[in-house]
Structures are given as structure tokens and as C-alpha cells.
Amino acid sequence: MTTKPQPWILTASCPSRLGTVDVVTRFLAETRNYVLEIQSFDDRALDRFCIRVEFRPERDGFSADDFNEAFAERAAEFDMSWELTAPDHRPRVAILVSKYDHCLNDLLYRYRTGQLNIEIPVIISNHPDLESLAQWHGIPYYHLPITADTKPQQEAEVWKLINQYEAELVVLARYMQVLSPDLCSKLDGWAINIHHSLLPGFKGAKPYHQAWEKGVKLVGATAHYVNNDLDEGPIITQGIQSVNHVHYPEDLIEKGQDIERVTLSKAIRYHIEKRVFLHGQRTVVFAD
Amino acid sequence: MTTKPQPWILTASCPSRLGTVDVVTRFLAETRNYVLEIQSFDDRALDRFCIRVEFRPERDGFSADDFNEAFAERAAEFDMSWELTAPDHRPRVAILVSKYDHCLNDLLYRYRTGQLNIEIPVIISNHPDLESLAQWHGIPYYHLPITADTKPQQEAEVWKLINQYEAELVVLARYMQVLSPDLCSKLDGWAINIHHSLLPGFKGAKPYHQAWEKGVKLVGATAHYVNNDLDEGPIITQGIQSVNHVHYPEDLIEKGQDIERVTLSKAIRYHIEKRVFLHGQRTVVFAD
Amino acid sequence: MTTKPQPWILTASCPSRLGTVDVVTRFLAETRNYVLEIQSFDDRALDRFCIRVEFRPERDGFSADDFNEAFAERAAEFDMSWELTAPDHRPRVAILVSKYDHCLNDLLYRYRTGQLNIEIPVIISNHPDLESLAQWHGIPYYHLPITADTKPQQEAEVWKLINQYEAELVVLARYMQVLSPDLCSKLDGWAINIHHSLLPGFKGAKPYHQAWEKGVKLVGATAHYVNNDLDEGPIITQGIQSVNHVHYPEDLIEKGQDIERVTLSKAIRYHIEKRVFLHGQRTVVFAD
Amino acid sequence: MTTKPQPWILTASCPSRLGTVDVVTRFLAETRNYVLEIQSFDDRALDRFCIRVEFRPERDGFSADDFNEAFAERAAEFDMSWELTAPDHRPRVAILVSKYDHCLNDLLYRYRTGQLNIEIPVIISNHPDLESLAQWHGIPYYHLPITADTKPQQEAEVWKLINQYEAELVVLARYMQVLSPDLCSKLDGWAINIHHSLLPGFKGAKPYHQAWEKGVKLVGATAHYVNNDLDEGPIITQGIQSVNHVHYPEDLIEKGQDIERVTLSKAIRYHIEKRVFLHGQRTVVFAD
């Protein structure tokens, strides 16, 4: 749909120190890479620096390996971790769902049209319901039922599939299961969940019912990284929706779906465009 | 500023039952009152009906007393409470403040220009700071300092002033004191507070600091009726503001002020235009 | 998905006059119909009254025919037109598309899940591209190509299909053709178009390019009824999206898709829930 | 109110070319200035680069003159224009008003509380109405009436005052006069106007009446730089407000005031924080 030239993206992060920007930008200039856009932030609360650069090579024969090798030396001095992302890189995203399909349907649409520049190698569910939707898009669908007793085995299988399909990102698109601490740890920082409330408000089960009980006039959704603290993972983005007295809990569930899917897909886009930096409980998000 | 004809407003509420609307609308028709706008709602969760009608008399010599006397008989059958509000009624609003003046300044502006159709007979504060602002608007200002020891006496004086100035509504415009249960009870349903978070999230002290700790991407404000449950009173309206990683707690405090004042003044307008019905913990708000 | 009891809906409209509300509400009370929600408005600029009532019959054996027959007499006196909509009525919606599928995909999702309570008996396009999407949903798809020369014949076929499939509403879901005045007249008031700008700004072709040229910081979408005035039909609802300097026209096109589909589906919902009254160039929309 | 350390700000702009970022960041590193935040953008449509850096000197005795002198040499090579803004710089803002006071009242509030870090040395009006408001804030107020005949003289006086009070920015806070081409030229790029519509929609007089005629569901406000093209100057920011059928033009005027003042003050903040770059008809705005 678009002829927009996709850039290379360099992201880097390190402890705060004089010269953190310069070590990045000087290297880019010396290696004749043309900078299109920079966003950097030095967090005084955490003494942590991060930077995101979009650039295009000015000379032929740009090699990511050469870039990484040459930059390693300079980065080491600053204890800097970095990542170089190619314009044609399409990250592999494994999706977990249950029965609700509004988020899945939305992600598949954006995947199919290229609006989300990802591969979806596998969809995993504890229910069989959404298989035909997956099939229409030509994506393998695994139905792994779960009970209290079989949870460890089921999660082991989920984990095996995530690895087998070489997922770089895991998305819980309304997967209605509480992950075990073990699986949470494994997914820490590279799995995104969508929760249907403005976290930390209305944590846990049935947030729309909780919202209705309290008589709130706004409901929302929160996309966050999974970590060991249930519904308390670092927030990537949040969206809201006005509601009023005519909306009973079942209406909130329905009205919330639009904001859930928009919020989840935005978080995924931020993640794959390398706009999100994770610093403890907090995120730096260089939004566009 | 406006030549808009102001209507009479009739609001009524009663237990749900067949004919609740008809008893109101038929009376209006029979007494030759022209209906401009109706909003009614029958809450199936609480079995409670409420209606708001804007109307203008078609004949000369409309008398509120006659209206009330004649309607009383019909309303009694439905156990209906009602209120008739004249177009030229300007409710008397007592304002309580501490040191923050962003809400007070906004309310005084809207009062001065007639955007809020109210009288402000008195401003009460536990600090002397905002006296000159009150004076410029020609409004009596009472400085009633408070300590843990003097709280009962101070609240007694506050209560006395509220009565002496015949306030019909009390507004806590960032009054940084926790009211005693006794004063809360007295003000139940006719005092509006502005809390600087999306309640029930971040109750209590320093909500912007709490919000920053959690790394939320939206902050907000909640205008609610005061009741005995601190920061848990029935919500009238809520507003939000996007924030991001560059905003430290002190920035959130500053950024939140716009949304606080807009949210508070909107709640007051809803209240004085008789758009709000209080049903237990929840409100019906016939917004425009 | 929801167990919410669906109500009957009565909508009515007539010239402004004393007693317009009463004639409706009294009839409902006398025929033992329980009112759940009313919204009425008397437009002083157009001297036009309209009302929307949600109700449920209190007695068994409610008959729409009896209702209509009995109400006709009363309505006649007020020159009132009205419409009674059954809870189980699913309006038949014909959809016209070209190549863009974001709106179609969204409508089909909401149709499939029951979020939009409609039938989609037919999809018509001037391109073959979206046939498989229609097929997966089991909906007949007609590819009717169009050229300057064949336009009258093509529109005649479109019109024939709309009638053959007994459509009650026609939706132009990014149908990239300017309808002839003749077809516009036929569809006046019962066809909804989505335009990708905040009309009346950026009428005509390539609105996102126009928006980019002007450097606007907000783009939007407008759902409106089709009439003979191209892109000037009565507005039902509008949505917006923030943008900034990093967004080139191709980005605006992509970013606008979310707001286009949400705006279009909201307008359709308002229409089928009988929330929209058309008064000349303007609409009354009793939103929820 | 805030203990946030205010940074120095360096902004720079030049034709697109390899090394534009590096020339800035390397200089900052070499002169031992600690970078807190960077935003840069290279506009491929205009071949124009711009960058904004917040930094703090790491060594004592930082001198703006030395900085400028040393940087001049490097910048010259890139045909780069730049500006260094001190943390304690409070730009002098001249305000022009007519009779509406909602924007002026808001600006004076933010000025008084330090929320807008500006000086307001002078307020100029073609009406006497707002003098007492100016006086309460201790700001000289000039009443310069205007007629078709006296326009050139009046504008000459306005221009004299702007110079006499050494204004760095001129704000038209609902100044209801069309400036002459001559004055527009003089103010090009350093005067901000607030227009009460979503420009380019509803240019010219009475935009809220135009909006009502069209039956739009959103109204808005646009803050833009003044240039010779009336109501077509480069847009800095825009805000919106939902409206519906109950709002007559006089209601839109009232409802629009909140969004006008918020939009204008945001634009001023962006301008004085050096977040806005003017490139022909378009702006780059590094928002926070």
C-alpha cells in the first residue's frame, strides 16, 4: 500500500554518562549512514539512557555484521547494549487466544494487509473455537486444552511451540489464563498482554463488571509486558472509551472491544518498530 | 453572552413501575407546558426510574407553587420525588480551597462570565493564600486554619458558614483536607469533590506520584459526590490526559491541572442543570 | 455474547406543537407498554420534534400491527410519522466496496459476531479483489466493473441488486465512485458513506494528501447520508486521529483506517438502532 | 511549584545532508555538555533537517557567548541556523485582545502561576473592556480603538508598542481584527493566532455558525502562525470538542472556549520551549 522507504533502526541503552549520544551519532556519521530521525531520553530517576535512530546507509554494500562488529568496540566502553533492525525484518509473533476473537481478528487483518509488518507462524489456544479463522489465513493452529491438573504440561507444550516456531514476540490476545510464574519468567520482556481496564485499576477478573459496580464514566484497556506480577507488568500503552449509565456490564464488554484491539495492535507496532525500552517497572516509549 | 431562552427543568425519580413517564408527560401537557427535551432512564439493576424534562410554559402566569401543588397528588401515587427548577434560578455554591488555585480560578472565571450560572456567596480555606483572588471577585473569604486538634471546631465553623450563606451546593476545589465522617454525612449528595486520578485508581494521597511509579500512559481526574467513603463517592464525570516517559511527577501535577478544572466545572454544570441522579453508589447523568 | 433484553423501539417525528410528547407517551401507557428509555428533542431552528422510545410490552400477545393501527389515528392529528422496530429485526444491509477492505473487514467481523445486528445479503464491488473475503462469510459478491461509458448501466445493475436483495440500508464502505445524481436521489436518506476527512474540510479526492499539504495536526473521518450534494450529505458522526510531522500522506492513509472503520460502524449502529433523525441538511442523533 | 531542573535548549535547522546530526552532537560532547533529550527529523518532502536538544553543562562557567562563537564555525559548513535558549530565559510576549476574555484570562493565570514561563510586558486591545483584568495582574494595557479609516495608524501604534516593549512573541488571543498584509509580514513566524475552527475548515467569520449550519459533530480550534494568508498560516496545534444537535451556535461559542484556550496556551508553550520549526506552510512540532 505504501512506497515509504523503510529505514534501518538502531536502538541502544546504557547507564547515564556524558557522551552516550555522541558515541552513537558519531559512529553513524563516520560509517556514512544518513540519520532520518532520532529520539533520545536520559532518565534522571533511573540514571538510564536510551536512543532510537532511524537511518539509511549512504553507500552500497551496507552489512549488518560489519556494523555490529565495528560498533561493539565503542559500545563496550559505555556498557551499552544495542540492536540493529533491518528494514525488511518481519518479526515472528506467536499469538495465544482463548474464545474471544476481536483482538485476533484485528491482528490477522493487519498482518494480512501488511499494516503490521510481522509474520504469524503459529496461533495457540486452550479452545478450538478460532481454528477456522486461523485456517483462512493459512496459519497453524494448536488447540491445547488446559485444566488445573494439566497446566504444567500444557504450558510446557506452549513453550515448546513458541520455540519450535522461533517466535520473537508472544502476544496474549485475550488469552484467558493466568500464566504460571515459570512461564512468566521465561516470557519476561518479550510477551505482550492486553488487559481490559486502565491498570492498575480493576486488576484481576471481570474488570468491566468491577467498573460498572463503581459507576465509572470511562473504561479502558492496557497493553503491557508480561512479568511475574499478574496484571502489573510494565505498561506500553493505554486507551479509553467513554461510557454512561445506560451501559450495563455486557455493554461495557462489547464497547471495550474496539479499544482493546486498537490498544493491543498499537503496542505491538511500538514493540516491533523498536520504540519501547524496558527499564524495570517502567517503559520509555518513543511514540510517533 | 447568549440569547438562548432558558427553560424550566423538571426532574423526577421513583421506583420502577408502569406509567412513570406518563404521569409526568401527561401532567405537562394538561397544564399546557411545552416540552423541549426529555431524557428518561429506567435502571433495571436498581429498579429505579428517573426523568429530566426541559419545558417552557405556553400560557402566561405560570406559577411554580401551583405546579408543585397540582403535581404532588399525582406524584404521590408513584412515590415520586421531584424538583422544579426555574430558568432564573442561580444556585448558591460555597467553595472550599486550600492553596492550589487552578480550580478556583477557573470557577471564578466561569462565574464571572455567566458560563456557570451560579452565585458564589462564600469561599472558605484553611490557608490565607487565595484571599486576594476572592477579593477581586468581591466574594467573602474565610481563612479557617486547621490542625489535628482544632479539626472539630474548624469543621463546625465551616458548617456554620455553609448554612449562614445558604449554600445549595458545596464544592471542594482541591481542598486538601480529609473531611470527618460527620461532615461527610451532612454533605452527602450535595458536595462535589475533584480527585486527581481516575478513581478508583490511585485513591488517597499523591495520586500523580502513584501514577508515575506505575508508569501509566494516561492520567485523569474524577469529580464525585462526597460521601463517607473517602475518594469512593459516586462518580459524576471523569477526564483524561495522555502522558509519557518524559513526564516526572511534578510534570503530571502541572499537566493534570487542565483536566482537573475542566472535569470539576463540567460536574458542577451537570449538577446545577439537574442532569445528575444519585442512586446509591452510582449516578445517572443525562449529559448534553 | 449478551443476554441483554432487546427492547422494541418507537421513533416518531412531526412539526413542533404542544402535546407531541404526550401523544406518544400516553399511548404507550394506555397500551401497557413499559418505557425503558426516552430521548426527545424539539428543534427550535427547524420547528421539528422527534422522539425515540425503548419499551417492552407488559402483557402477552403484543402485536405490531395492532400497535400501528391503533396509533395511526392519534398520530394523524399531529401529522406525525413514526416507525416501530421489533427487537428481533435485523435490517438487510447492502455493502458497496472497491479495493480497500478495512471497512468491509470490520463490518463483516461485527456482522459475524452479532455486534452489529444486521443481515448482509449482498456485497457489490467495481473490482474483483474482495470476493474471497465475502465468500468466507458466505455472502454473494457481485463484481460490476465500471467505466465512464458504462456507468449508467452499472448503476442500473447496482440498483437492481439493491432491490432484488431487499436492502433496507446501503453502505458505501470506501466505494471509490462518485454516484450519479439519479442514484443519489434514489438512495437519499438510506445510504451511508464514509469520507476520510472531517467534512466539510477536504472534500473530494485525496483528502489525506490535502490534509498533509495543509499540515493539519488532526485528521478524521465523517460518516454521512448520501444525497445529491457530493460529500455534503447530512453528517451522522465523525472521528479524529492525531497526526504530526513524521506522517507523510501514505502514513495518514494507514493511520486513518482505524478511525474510518470505527466511525462507519458507529454510524451504521446509530442508524439501525433508530437513533438518527434526518431534518434537511442536519441530523438529530440520540447517541448512547 | 516544581523543582525540575530546567535545561538549556539548542535548536538547529539546515538543508538535509549527511552529518547534520553529528555536527551538533559532537560539538556538545566535546564541550562537555550533557544531553538530556534529543528529537531530530529529516523531512524528505522539503529536504530540510531540524533538531532540538535539551542539555546541561557538565562544567562550571558555561558561557552562551562562547558556545555560540565556537559553534558558528561548524554550523557555517552546513548552512545551519541555530538558537541557544537559556534555562532562565522568560520570553516577552505581547498579547492582543478584543472583548472576549477567555483566552486572556487563561494566559494570565498560567503566567501568574509560572505554568507558562513568560513575561507579559504589554496587553493591547481595540476595546477598553479587559483593562481591569490587566491591571489586577499589573500589566500595562493600551486601548487602541480601530475603524476602517484609522486602521493604518492603529496598526502603526500596535507595531510601535510591540517594539517598545521588546516583544519576542505576539499572541492574538481572540483579537477580532484582520491584520493588514503589512503587519502580517512584519509578524510572520513570530505571532500566534487562535482560530475557532479546525482550519482549513470554516475559515473566516463566524466559524461556529458555519459549523452549526453544516451539522458537524465535532468543533475545534487551531493555533497557527500569522502570515499573509488569512486563517491559512502554518498550524502549530489543534484541539477538538464533541457537539450534537442540542447545541445551537451560541452553545458552540461557549463550548468552544475551553478548547480554544487550551489549544492556544499549548501552542505558546510549544513555541517558547522551542519545539516548533517553521518550514514554509508546514511545521515540525517536537511535542512532549
Side-chain angles (χ1 to χ4, degrees):
Chain A
M1 174 176 300
T2 159
T3 58
K4 191 183 178 182
Q6 292 300 312
W8 286 80
I9 299 168
L10 175 66
T11 49
S13 180
C14 66
S16 294
R17 200 185 121 183
L18 187 69
T20 50
V21 170
D22 183 55
V23 75
V24 173
T25 51
R26 187 183 298 214
F27 181 79
L28 287 165
E30 290 175 0
T31 51
R32 298 192 61 74
N33 289 298
Y34 190 91
V35 172
L36 300 166
E37 206 179 314
I38 293 188
Q39 287 169 297
S40 83
F41 180 64
D42 195 276
D43 190 335
R44 74 166 200 259
L46 300 171
D47 275 331
R48 188 93 203 152
F49 162 80
C50 54
I51 190 168
R52 179 184 184 275
V53 186
E54 296 191 4
F55 69 91
R56 62 160 195 267
E58 279 284 275
R59 55 194 172 103
D60 293 341
F62 177 87
S63 148
D65 287 345
D66 291 353
F67 185 103
N68 282 323
E69 192 183 324
F71 189 56
E73 206 175 323
R74 310 225 187 158
E77 192 195 328
F78 283 80
D79 197 13
M80 185 180 274
S81 58
W82 82 95
E83 193 175 4
L84 184 65
T85 305
D88 57 0
H89 179 63
R90 305 184 71 205
R92 299 171 67 81
V93 180
I95 300 180
L96 272 69
V97 287
S98 291
K99 289 180 167 182
Y100 280 113
D101 66 349
H102 55 284
C103 285
L104 180 63
N105 187 70
D106 185 71
L107 295 181
L108 290 176
Y109 175 76
R110 294 179 204 265
Y111 152 72
R112 175 160 66 79
T113 59
Q115 212 176 99
L116 269 182
N117 191 31
I118 56 175
E119 295 292 342
I120 303 181
V122 63
I123 297 171
I124 305 167
S125 179
N126 56 331
H127 291 285
D129 306 53
L130 306 183
E131 180 156 21
S132 73
L133 188 59
Q135 275 177 339
W136 193 71
H137 290 83
I139 299 170
Y141 183 92
Y142 290 83
H143 171 212
L144 304 179
I146 190 168
T147 65
D149 286 349
T150 64
K151 185 161 180 160
Q153 297 91 307
Q154 196 258 12
E155 286 199 345
E157 287 184 78
V158 168
W159 179 244
K160 205 177 121 195
L161 287 170
I162 289 170
N163 284 286
Q164 174 186 328
Y165 282 98
E166 297 176 341
E168 296 158 73
L169 175 68
V170 175
V171 171
L172 310 186
R174 296 301 304 273
Y175 180 61
M176 312 293 276
Q177 292 292 321
V178 177
L179 303 188
S180 70
D182 176 54
L183 189 52
C184 284
S185 291
K186 285 173 174 158
L187 295 176
D188 199 333
W190 60 289
I192 296 175
N193 183 43
I194 181 75
H195 186 82
H196 43 312
S197 82
L198 289 171
L199 289 175
F202 307 132
K203 287 194 289 181
K206 299 212 167 199
Y208 289 130
H209 286 76
Q210 295 180 51
W212 180 82
E213 288 285 346
K214 288 291 182 189
V216 299
K217 304 303 184 189
L218 293 171
V219 294
T222 303
H224 64 94
Y225 285 115
V226 170
N227 70 4
N228 252 320
D229 211 347
L230 181 65
D231 290 345
E232 289 277 5
I235 295 171
I236 303 170
T237 188
Q238 300 185 292
I240 62 118
Q241 163 84 44
S242 293
V243 295
N244 65 40
H245 56 272
V246 306
H247 301 117
Y248 293 97
E250 63 266 27
D251 303 304
L252 300 187
I253 290 169
E254 206 169 292
K255 284 188 91 71
Q257 294 190 353
D258 275 335
I259 204 68
E260 287 169 41
R261 58 185 163 202
V262 167
T263 302
L264 177 58
S265 76
K266 191 193 279 189
I268 295 172
R269 185 170 69 77
Y270 284 166
H271 179 91
I272 64 171
E273 291 180 1
K274 307 292 174 186
R275 296 181 179 279
V276 192
F277 294 75
L278 196 48
H279 293 165
Q281 175 61 27
R282 297 163 50 74
T283 57
V284 168
V285 181
F286 292 132
D288 64 348
Chain B
M1 175 175 302
T2 158
T3 59
K4 192 184 179 183
Q6 292 301 312
W8 286 80
I9 299 169
L10 175 66
T11 48
S13 180
C14 66
S16 293
R17 200 185 121 182
L18 187 68
T20 49
V21 171
D22 183 54
V23 75
V24 173
T25 51
R26 188 183 297 215
F27 181 79
L28 287 165
E30 289 175 0
T31 51
R32 297 193 60 75
N33 288 299
Y34 189 91
V35 172
L36 300 165
E37 206 179 313
I38 293 186
Q39 287 170 296
S40 83
F41 180 64
D42 195 276
D43 190 336
R44 72 166 201 260
L46 299 171
D47 275 331
R48 189 92 202 153
F49 163 80
C50 54
I51 189 168
R52 179 184 185 275
V53 187
E54 295 190 5
F55 70 91
R56 64 162 192 265
E58 279 285 275
R59 58 203 168 96
D60 292 341
F62 177 87
S63 149
D65 287 345
D66 292 352
F67 185 102
N68 282 323
E69 192 183 324
F71 189 56
E73 207 176 322
R74 310 225 188 160
E77 193 195 329
F78 283 79
D79 197 14
M80 184 180 273
S81 57
W82 82 95
E83 194 174 4
L84 184 66
T85 306
D88 57 1
H89 179 64
R90 303 184 72 204
R92 298 170 67 81
V93 180
I95 300 181
L96 272 69
V97 287
S98 291
K99 289 180 167 182
Y100 281 113
D101 66 350
H102 54 286
C103 286
L104 179 64
N105 187 70
D106 186 71
L107 295 180
L108 290 176
Y109 175 78
R110 293 179 205 265
Y111 152 74
R112 176 161 66 81
T113 59
Q115 212 177 98
L116 270 181
N117 191 31
I118 56 175
E119 294 292 343
I120 303 181
V122 62
I123 297 171
I124 305 167
S125 179
N126 56 330
H127 291 285
D129 307 53
L130 307 183
E131 180 155 20
S132 73
L133 187 59
Q135 276 177 339
W136 193 72
H137 289 84
I139 299 171
Y141 182 92
Y142 290 84
H143 171 211
L144 304 179
I146 191 167
T147 65
D149 286 349
T150 64
K151 185 161 180 162
Q153 297 90 306
Q154 196 259 13
E155 286 199 343
E157 287 184 79
V158 168
W159 179 244
K160 203 177 122 195
L161 287 169
I162 289 170
N163 284 286
Q164 173 187 329
Y165 283 98
E166 299 176 339
E168 297 158 73
L169 175 68
V170 174
V171 170
L172 310 186
R174 298 298 305 272
Y175 181 61
M176 311 295 275
Q177 291 293 319
V178 177
L179 302 189
S180 70
D182 176 54
L183 189 51
C184 283
S185 292
K186 285 173 175 158
L187 295 176
D188 199 333
W190 61 289
I192 296 176
N193 183 45
I194 181 75
H195 186 82
H196 42 314
S197 81
L198 289 170
L199 290 176
F202 307 132
K203 287 195 288 181
K206 297 213 167 197
Y208 290 130
H209 286 77
Q210 294 181 52
W212 181 82
E213 288 285 345
K214 289 290 182 190
V216 299
K217 304 303 183 189
L218 294 170
V219 296
T222 302
H224 65 93
Y225 285 116
V226 169
N227 70 5
N228 252 320
D229 211 347
L230 180 66
D231 289 345
E232 288 276 6
I235 295 170
I236 302 171
T237 189
Q238 301 184 291
I240 62 117
Q241 164 82 44
S242 293
V243 295
N244 65 38
H245 56 272
V246 306
H247 302 116
Y248 294 96
E250 63 266 26
D251 302 305
L252 301 188
I253 290 168
E254 207 169 292
K255 285 188 91 70
Q257 293 189 354
D258 276 334
I259 204 68
E260 286 168 42
R261 57 186 164 201
V262 167
T263 302
L264 177 58
S265 75
K266 189 193 278 188
I268 294 172
R269 187 171 67 79
Y270 285 167
H271 179 91
I272 64 171
E273 291 181 1
K274 306 293 173 185
R275 297 180 179 279
V276 192
F277 294 76
L278 196 47
H279 293 165
Q281 175 61 27
R282 297 163 50 75
T283 57
V284 168
V285 182
F286 291 132
D288 64 347
Chain C
M1 174 175 301
T2 159
T3 59
K4 192 184 178 183
Q6 293 299 311
W8 286 81
I9 298 169
L10 175 66
T11 48
S13 180
C14 66
S16 294
R17 201 185 119 183
L18 187 68
T20 50
V21 170
D22 183 54
V23 74
V24 173
T25 51
R26 187 183 299 215
F27 181 78
L28 287 165
E30 290 175 0
T31 51
R32 299 192 60 75
N33 289 298
Y34 189 92
V35 172
L36 301 165
E37 205 178 315
I38 294 188
Q39 287 169 296
S40 83
F41 180 64
D42 195 277
D43 190 335
R44 74 168 200 258
L46 300 170
D47 274 332
R48 189 92 203 153
F49 163 79
C50 53
I51 189 169
R52 179 184 185 274
V53 186
E54 295 191 4
F55 69 91
R56 64 161 193 265
E58 279 286 274
R59 58 201 167 96
D60 292 342
F62 177 88
S63 149
D65 287 345
D66 291 353
F67 185 103
N68 281 324
E69 193 182 324
F71 189 56
E73 207 175 322
R74 310 222 188 162
E77 193 195 330
F78 283 79
D79 197 14
M80 184 180 274
S81 57
W82 82 95
E83 194 174 4
L84 184 66
T85 306
D88 57 0
H89 179 63
R90 305 184 71 204
R92 299 170 66 81
V93 180
I95 300 180
L96 272 69
V97 287
S98 291
K99 289 180 167 182
Y100 280 113
D101 66 350
H102 55 284
C103 285
L104 180 63
N105 187 70
D106 186 70
L107 295 181
L108 290 176
Y109 175 77
R110 293 178 204 266
Y111 152 72
R112 176 160 66 79
T113 59
Q115 210 176 99
L116 270 181
N117 191 30
I118 56 174
E119 295 291 342
I120 303 181
V122 62
I123 297 171
I124 305 168
S125 179
N126 56 330
H127 291 286
D129 307 52
L130 307 183
E131 181 156 20
S132 73
L133 188 59
Q135 276 176 339
W136 193 71
H137 289 84
I139 299 170
Y141 182 92
Y142 290 84
H143 171 212
L144 304 179
I146 191 167
T147 65
D149 286 349
T150 64
K151 184 161 180 163
Q153 297 91 306
Q154 196 258 13
E155 286 200 344
E157 287 185 78
V158 168
W159 179 244
K160 205 178 122 194
L161 287 170
I162 289 170
N163 283 286
Q164 174 187 328
Y165 283 98
E166 297 177 339
E168 296 158 73
L169 175 68
V170 175
V171 171
L172 310 186
R174 296 299 306 272
Y175 181 61
M176 312 293 277
Q177 292 293 319
V178 176
L179 302 189
S180 69
D182 176 54
L183 189 52
C184 283
S185 291
K186 285 173 175 160
L187 295 176
D188 199 334
W190 60 288
I192 296 175
N193 183 46
I194 181 75
H195 186 82
H196 43 313
S197 82
L198 288 171
L199 291 176
F202 308 131
K203 287 195 289 181
K206 299 213 166 197
Y208 288 130
H209 286 77
Q210 294 181 53
W212 180 83
E213 288 284 345
K214 288 292 181 188
V216 298
K217 304 304 183 188
L218 293 172
V219 295
T222 302
H224 63 94
Y225 285 116
V226 170
N227 70 5
N228 252 318
D229 212 347
L230 181 65
D231 290 345
E232 287 277 7
I235 295 170
I236 303 170
T237 188
Q238 301 186 291
I240 62 118
Q241 164 82 45
S242 293
V243 296
N244 66 39
H245 56 272
V246 306
H247 302 116
Y248 294 96
E250 62 266 27
D251 302 305
L252 300 188
I253 290 169
E254 206 169 291
K255 284 188 91 71
Q257 293 189 353
D258 276 335
I259 204 68
E260 288 169 40
R261 57 186 165 201
V262 167
T263 302
L264 177 57
S265 75
K266 190 193 277 189
I268 295 173
R269 185 170 69 78
Y270 284 167
H271 179 91
I272 65 171
E273 292 181 1
K274 307 292 173 186
R275 295 180 180 278
V276 192
F277 294 76
L278 195 49
H279 293 165
Q281 175 61 27
R282 297 163 49 76
T283 58
V284 169
V285 182
F286 291 133
D288 64 349
Chain D
M1 175 174 301
T2 159
T3 59
K4 192 184 179 182
Q6 293 299 312
W8 287 80
I9 299 169
L10 174 66
T11 49
S13 179
C14 67
S16 294
R17 200 186 121 182
L18 187 70
T20 50
V21 171
D22 183 55
V23 74
V24 173
T25 51
R26 187 183 298 215
F27 181 79
L28 287 165
E30 289 175 2
T31 51
R32 297 194 59 74
N33 289 299
Y34 189 91
V35 172
L36 300 165
E37 205 178 315
I38 294 187
Q39 287 169 296
S40 83
F41 179 64
D42 194 277
D43 190 335
R44 73 167 201 259
L46 300 171
D47 275 331
R48 189 91 202 154
F49 162 79
C50 53
I51 189 167
R52 179 184 184 275
V53 186
E54 295 191 6
F55 70 89
R56 63 160 193 265
E58 279 285 275
R59 52 193 176 105
D60 292 341
F62 177 88
S63 149
D65 287 343
D66 291 353
F67 185 102
N68 283 323
E69 192 183 324
F71 189 57
E73 207 176 323
R74 309 224 189 161
E77 192 195 330
F78 283 79
D79 197 13
M80 185 179 274
S81 58
W82 81 96
E83 193 174 5
L84 183 66
T85 306
D88 57 0
H89 179 64
R90 304 184 71 204
R92 298 170 68 82
V93 180
I95 300 181
L96 273 69
V97 287
S98 291
K99 289 180 168 182
Y100 280 113
D101 66 350
H102 55 284
C103 286
L104 179 63
N105 188 70
D106 185 71
L107 295 181
L108 290 175
Y109 175 77
R110 294 179 204 264
Y111 152 73
R112 176 160 65 81
T113 59
Q115 210 176 100
L116 270 181
N117 191 30
I118 57 176
E119 294 293 342
I120 303 181
V122 63
I123 297 171
I124 306 167
S125 179
N126 56 330
H127 292 284
D129 306 53
L130 307 183
E131 180 155 21
S132 73
L133 188 59
Q135 276 177 339
W136 193 70
H137 290 83
I139 299 171
Y141 183 92
Y142 290 83
H143 171 211
L144 304 178
I146 190 167
T147 66
D149 286 350
T150 64
K151 184 161 180 161
Q153 297 90 306
Q154 195 258 13
E155 286 199 344
E157 287 183 78
V158 169
W159 178 244
K160 205 177 121 194
L161 287 169
I162 289 170
N163 283 287
Q164 173 187 329
Y165 283 98
E166 298 177 340
E168 296 158 74
L169 174 69
V170 175
V171 171
L172 310 186
R174 298 298 306 273
Y175 181 62
M176 312 295 275
Q177 292 294 319
V178 177
L179 302 189
S180 70
D182 176 54
L183 189 51
C184 283
S185 292
K186 284 173 175 158
L187 295 176
D188 200 334
W190 60 289
I192 296 176
N193 183 45
I194 181 75
H195 186 82
H196 43 313
S197 82
L198 289 170
L199 290 175
F202 307 132
K203 287 194 288 182
K206 299 213 166 198
Y208 289 130
H209 286 77
Q210 294 181 52
W212 181 82
E213 288 284 345
K214 289 290 182 189
V216 299
K217 305 303 182 188
L218 294 170
V219 296
T222 302
H224 64 94
Y225 285 115
V226 169
N227 70 4
N228 252 320
D229 211 347
L230 180 66
D231 290 345
E232 289 276 6
I235 295 170
I236 303 170
T237 187
Q238 301 184 292
I240 62 118
Q241 163 82 45
S242 294
V243 296
N244 66 39
H245 56 271
V246 306
H247 302 116
Y248 294 97
E250 63 266 27
D251 302 305
L252 301 188
I253 290 169
E254 207 169 290
K255 285 188 90 70
Q257 293 189 354
D258 276 334
I259 204 67
E260 287 168 41
R261 55 186 164 202
V262 167
T263 302
L264 178 57
S265 75
K266 190 193 279 189
I268 295 172
R269 187 171 66 78
Y270 285 167
H271 179 91
I272 64 171
E273 291 181 2
K274 306 294 173 185
R275 297 180 179 278
V276 192
F277 293 76
L278 196 48
H279 293 164
Q281 176 60 27
R282 298 163 48 74
T283 56
V284 169
V285 182
F286 291 132
D288 64 348

